[in-house]
Amino acid sequence: MIETLEEFLTLWNRFEPDDRQRLRHDPLEKDLWDIVLTKYPECKEAIALHKAAPCDTLHKLATDPDSRVRWFVAIRRKLRRDTFELLAKDKDESVRIRVAYNPKVPMDILESLASEDDYVGETAREVIAGKKS
């Protein structure tokens, strides 16, 4: 477990494989999630990809102004339904496409994406067809 902000930052600033592994997998102390996001916004992508990131944190990141952060949230399987719904309506097409490719997206949300007349809809229809075969 990563227990302090200093420990998190030490891991963040190292490029050793073991440190990167810990940074991606070791849970953070409960209050650290929000502290890191508030004080170190450059770490948002790392938090979005963190295997132990709480669903509430991922939902908060799904509203981030940076579409790259939202894209990284959209690839996560461990999302609440309301987070999927939010990302499925994202203004950025690449985020909506990631939602369509997410294996855990609820079928009704995928079908809603399939009704779009753009590449998002085409992608969602292909995913649906693949699930039926």
Side-chain angles (χ1 to χ4, degrees):
M1 174 172 279
I2 301 171
E3 297 182 4
T4 65
L5 181 58
E6 293 73 26
E7 183 180 6
F8 178 88
L9 293 174
T10 298
L11 294 171
W12 172 258
N13 289 311
R14 289 187 189 158
F15 295 98
E16 298 298 322
D18 288 346
D19 294 332
R20 288 292 160 179
Q21 183 78 357
R22 281 197 62 211
L23 189 62
R24 188 134 186 238
H25 293 277
D26 284 10
L28 275 68
E29 190 65 43
K30 182 182 177 198
D31 297 334
L32 274 182
W33 297 103
D34 287 334
I35 292 169
V36 170
L37 291 177
T38 303
K39 291 188 175 187
Y40 298 93
E42 66 273 18
C43 297
K44 289 178 182 178
E45 291 176 16
I47 296 296
L49 291 171
H50 197 290
K51 298 294 184 189
C55 290
D56 289 342
T57 299
L58 293 173
H59 188 79
K60 185 182 298 184
L61 289 171
T63 66
D64 194 84
D66 185 344
S67 62
R68 280 184 46 90
V69 172
R70 298 190 312 272
W71 189 92
F72 281 117
V73 173
I75 69 173
R76 297 296 308 277
R77 293 175 180 225
K78 183 183 80 171
L79 297 177
R80 299 185 321 222
R81 179 180 177 83
D82 61 336
T83 306
F84 274 119
E85 290 170 348
L86 179 65
L87 293 168
K89 295 176 184 160
D90 197 280
K91 65 182 182 239
D92 189 296
E93 181 181 71
S94 70
V95 173
R96 296 192 316 276
I97 289 169
R98 272 316 317 161
V99 171
Y101 280 124
N102 190 312
K104 296 293 185 175
V105 65
M107 183 56 80
D108 62 310
I109 294 174
L110 185 58
E111 289 169 345
S112 174
L113 290 170
S115 70
E116 294 188 27
D117 290 332
D118 55 9
Y119 188 63
V120 174
E122 181 181 325
T123 301
R125 290 187 292 277
E126 288 174 7
V127 170
I128 291 169
K131 288 184 179 207
K132 292 181 179 178
S133 59

